[in-house]
Amino acid sequence: MQMEITVHFWFNLSLLIVLLFFCLLGTGRFHAQQRYRMMFYAYFIVSLVICYLFSYKLSSSMYLDLRNIPVIIAGFYTGYAPLFCLIAVLLRAFYGFDSGFFLNIVLYAVLGISLWRLSPWFLKLSSNRRVGLASLFTLLISFLTMIFTQMMFSSKELLDVWFAYMVIPPLGAGMIVYFMELIDKNLVLQEHIVRTKRLEAVEQMGAAISHEIRNPLTTAIGFVQLLQENDAPQEKQTEYLTLIKSELESAEQVIQDYLTFSKPSLVTLSDIFLHEELHHVLKILQPLANQYSVEITEKLEPVSSIHGDRQKIRQCFLNIVKNAIESMPNGGVLTIESTASPINAIVKIEDSGVGMTKQQIDRLGEPYYSTKGSKGTGLGMMVVYSIVRALRGTIKVQSKVGKGTVFLLTFPIKPESSQPPNP
């Protein structure tokens, strides 16, 4: 026969490997546990059918194929070995109720019981041991099959059959079990990644709340300390209390935003004059600027209004200006400008601080990335970029190390925009 059966078996094994590949492509549509189970049953049943369709007819009652591979692997992994052995026997019935059929009944009865008893122990083994055991067990079954075959065809030259059965089924079983163990590891890894991302989202949410609420609380604490100085006039005390209330309301709004797990959304829309909001933010951050010996220069031109959320705009400017002040630990100049083009309102925030490299600029807005090192979370700038996108605006950053940084923000002016009030 000149290795004809061996070549036939190699072709049969190739079909099983290709079928496994297509099964893997289909598992992504289902939940991890469901797709794993469905892949098992579908793959092994179809594999049995393929093995019978590509059987090699050795005689009128003897058909050679690789059906032992799907039966053994399915029996080990699912614990339903008797069921798969029954399917194998029923498929064999399509070739006739001859001596080979009744021999199959005996062989698969013993095989089904053996696999059923060994399955719980098999599933407790490590991946490498499963591969080895599946190969060895398949080798044993192949050897027993060849003993029966040799007894039935003692006068025939069965060297090709011996080689095909003793090499290809054990090798095929080991390969398929190895691939299935890789699938299992990948599924476990995917589920771990999903859980990790969920935990990271919760951690990021907590860090963001902590970061964003610290700004208004720090400001409120500063004004409370000023109130504790009993020599403050009544007019100043009233002004401080108003600012404290405003900052506490800002803190409450930040908490509500992040507890909803939503991106910055424009909830309360109104006409906003950017020069007024910038003036308000600078007034809030004046104590921080004094602390850092930073001189603030305002060049705020009244411009047409934009349509947006006032709280979000203030939060955006507050983060940028606060970062600009903190970038000048030895003092410096902070220049805030507001101008307009026919279609956009433009805000320019320039500092004379430590500056940033191009790599740092490119990473601005990424979660957990901060130019402050361990002192920052990077979430403040992430919120800034999100708010600007929500307002359909753009943000550009220019910086030189040791020279300072310029933030240029543009926002579309509201069509038929109202004019700023007279000063």
Side-chain angles (χ1 to χ4, degrees):
M1 286 182 282
Q2 298 182 348
M3 308 301 286
E4 182 179 347
I5 298 176
T6 301
V7 173
H8 191 87
F9 273 22
W10 276 120
F11 176 73
N12 198 164
L13 179 59
S14 300
L15 292 179
L16 299 184
I17 299 297
V18 172
L19 176 63
L20 180 61
F21 170 76
F22 282 106
C23 286
L24 294 179
L25 294 180
T27 56
R29 300 179 181 179
F30 305 99
H31 184 268
Q33 296 294 334
Q34 182 184 12
R35 68 188 180 191
Y36 201 45
R37 194 181 307 113
M38 291 183 66
M39 182 190 69
F40 263 122
Y41 292 106
Y43 174 72
F44 291 121
I45 291 174
V46 176
S47 294
L48 274 174
V49 174
I50 289 177
C51 288
Y52 275 103
L53 290 177
F54 290 89
S55 295
Y56 186 91
K57 188 175 181 180
L58 186 64
S59 69
S60 60
S61 61
M62 180 64 68
Y63 292 85
L64 307 179
D65 52 52
L66 298 180
R67 60 183 178 271
N68 288 341
I69 294 178
V71 170
I72 291 172
I73 299 177
F76 273 140
Y77 276 96
T78 66
Y80 299 133
L83 174 62
F84 283 95
C85 288
L86 177 61
I87 295 174
V89 171
L90 293 176
L91 288 172
R92 175 59 179 84
F94 284 99
Y95 291 107
F97 297 95
D98 46 31
S99 59
F101 172 77
F102 294 106
L103 179 61
N104 270 261
I105 293 179
V106 176
L107 288 175
Y108 281 101
V110 176
L111 181 60
I113 295 173
S114 301
L115 291 172
W116 177 61
R117 297 297 298 271
L118 290 173
S119 176
W121 175 67
F122 175 84
L123 295 175
K124 294 178 182 179
L125 298 176
S126 64
S127 295
N128 291 335
R129 289 180 180 271
R130 289 180 187 179
V131 174
L133 180 60
S135 297
L136 289 175
F137 193 84
T138 307
L139 179 64
L140 175 61
I141 298 301
S142 296
F143 179 75
L144 294 176
T145 302
M146 282 309 305
I147 294 296
F148 282 105
T149 304
Q150 189 71 57
M151 292 170 60
M152 295 178 64
F153 300 95
S154 57
S155 61
K156 285 193 174 183
E157 178 60 47
L158 298 178
L159 179 61
D160 185 21
V161 182
W162 272 96
F163 182 83
Y165 261 104
M166 300 307 291
V167 174
I168 298 177
L171 179 62
M175 292 173 60
I176 293 175
V177 170
Y178 177 78
F179 290 143
M180 298 190 73
E181 289 299 317
L182 284 181
I183 297 167
D184 183 60
K185 290 179 180 179
N186 287 335
L187 289 175
V188 172
L189 180 61
Q190 287 176 9
E191 292 178 356
H192 175 73
I193 291 174
V194 169
R195 288 195 298 268
T196 301
K197 286 185 176 180
R198 288 175 180 170
L199 289 175
E200 286 180 354
V202 173
E203 291 174 358
Q204 180 176 339
M205 188 65 62
I209 293 173
S210 173
H211 177 81
E212 294 305 320
I213 206 174
R214 188 181 297 121
N215 289 336
L217 288 182
T218 301
T219 304
I221 290 172
F223 283 111
V224 169
Q225 291 174 344
L226 291 175
L227 283 174
Q228 290 176 337
E229 299 175 2
N230 297 326
D231 57 347
Q234 183 63 39
E235 181 180 346
K236 281 291 183 183
Q237 291 183 12
T238 302
E239 181 181 353
Y240 293 161
L241 288 172
T242 301
L243 291 172
I244 290 171
K245 179 183 178 183
S246 174
E247 291 306 297
L248 292 177
E249 289 174 347
S250 297
E252 180 186 12
Q253 184 63 44
V254 169
I255 293 174
Q256 291 179 0
D257 285 342
Y258 284 97
L259 288 180
T260 58
F261 288 87
S262 62
K263 296 179 181 179
S265 55
L266 308 180
V267 178
T268 306
L269 298 177
S270 60
D271 291 341
I272 301 173
F273 298 101
L274 295 183
H275 64 286
E276 293 181 351
E277 302 307 321
L278 286 166
H279 184 74
H280 176 82
V281 168
L282 292 176
K283 192 172 184 179
I284 291 174
L285 292 177
Q286 187 62 56
L288 182 65
N290 294 338
Q291 179 183 342
Y292 279 79
S293 302
V294 172
E295 178 186 349
I296 297 179
T297 302
E298 298 182 35
K299 299 179 181 179
L300 305 178
E301 296 182 9
V303 296
S304 299
S305 65
I306 69 170
H307 199 54
D309 188 318
R310 190 179 307 276
Q311 172 61 30
K312 295 294 190 299
I313 282 288
R314 289 183 180 179
Q315 186 179 2
C316 174
F317 290 152
L318 189 70
N319 283 336
I320 296 177
V321 175
K322 183 174 181 293
N323 286 343
I325 293 173
E326 293 176 345
S327 73
M328 297 178 280
N330 300 319
V333 178
L334 176 64
T335 303
I336 313 291
E337 300 180 15
S338 65
T339 56
S341 70
I343 58 174
N344 291 320
I346 303 169
V347 174
K348 181 180 179 182
I349 302 174
E350 182 176 2
D351 65 65
S352 58
V354 296
M356 294 180 288
T357 64
K358 185 178 184 303
Q359 290 75 16
Q360 290 175 320
I361 294 174
D362 292 339
R363 296 194 62 186
L364 283 179
E366 291 184 10
Y368 303 116
Y369 178 75
S370 174
T371 58
K372 302 175 185 177
S374 60
K375 295 182 179 179
T377 64
L379 295 169
M381 288 308 302
M382 181 190 72
V383 171
V384 167
Y385 276 81
S386 298
I387 292 172
V388 171
R389 284 194 298 267
L391 290 166
R392 295 179 290 112
T394 61
I395 179 169
K396 295 181 180 179
V397 183
Q398 298 176 345
S399 186
K400 291 185 178 180
V401 176
K403 296 287 183 71
T405 303
V406 177
F407 280 83
L408 192 65
L409 297 91
T410 61
F411 302 96
I413 293 176
K414 177 186 174 184
E416 301 179 0
S417 170
S418 56
Q419 296 299 314
N422 294 325

